[in-house]
Amino acid sequence: MSDCIFCKIIARQIPSQLVYEDEHAIAFKDMTPQAPTHVLIVPRKHVAGLSACGDGDQALLGHLQRVAAAVAEKAGIASGYRLVTNNGRSAGQSVDHLHYHLLGGRSMQWPPG
Ligand code: 5GP
Ligand code: ZN
């Protein structure tokens, strides 16, 4: 997707602070951090969001959560973090390339706003 900001980050056309990458996923620091640790876990494959995923994406979705857990461990927040995906504008999604926010390093409120 030529106009997708996360595809551009994956293609190294836009710089980012990468914290993890493998064949299927990358993770980089959010440019507007909402917590001391705020990392985006992103599939290399362009898919608009969770609702755009199909049965064939099941393994990828599981992989993204495993990556998130590994990044949390590496960041030293394994004892407490939040993993969230915003699906759709009303939920706060602003980039239409599936991603999970990994947030930690502070106490969290529930319910979220
Ligand atoms: P959403 O609002 O779609 O759930 O999350 C998109 C996130 O991407 C936001 O938290 C925003 O700060 C982050 N973001 C948007 N553009 C860039 C960028 O170019 N670089 C980085 N590192 N983060 C970005
Ligand atoms: Zn994309």
Side-chain angles (χ1 to χ4, degrees):
M1 289 283 286
S2 57
D3 60 345
C4 171
I5 192 115
F6 287 178
C7 282
K8 286 179 179 168
I9 287 174
I10 290 160
R12 303 288 211 275
Q13 291 165 3
I14 293 176
S16 71
Q17 288 184 269
L18 273 189
V19 298
Y20 176 90
E21 65 177 324
D22 65 25
E23 186 184 350
H24 299 294
I26 71 167
F28 53 90
K29 293 185 181 180
D30 196 295
M31 71 177 186
T32 312
Q34 303 300 319
T37 295
H38 187 174
V39 173
L40 300 173
I41 319 292
V42 182
R44 289 190 187 276
K45 170 188 171 183
H46 180 93
V47 56
L50 190 55
S51 286
C53 291
D55 288 344
D57 295 312
Q58 199 157 324
L60 178 61
L61 290 167
H63 181 67
L64 294 172
Q65 293 195 48
R66 295 283 295 140
V67 168
V71 171
E73 182 79 37
K74 193 173 156 193
I77 59 165
S79 64
Y81 59 84
R82 185 168 290 173
L83 187 67
V84 62
T85 189
N86 297 323
N87 187 87
R89 290 288 173 272
S90 64
Q93 184 175 10
S94 61
V95 177
D96 291 335
H97 181 133
L98 176 67
H99 53 282
Y100 286 89
H101 297 257
L102 172 67
L103 297 146
R106 65 168 170 83
S107 43
M108 304 276 166
Q109 305 298 312
W110 192 263

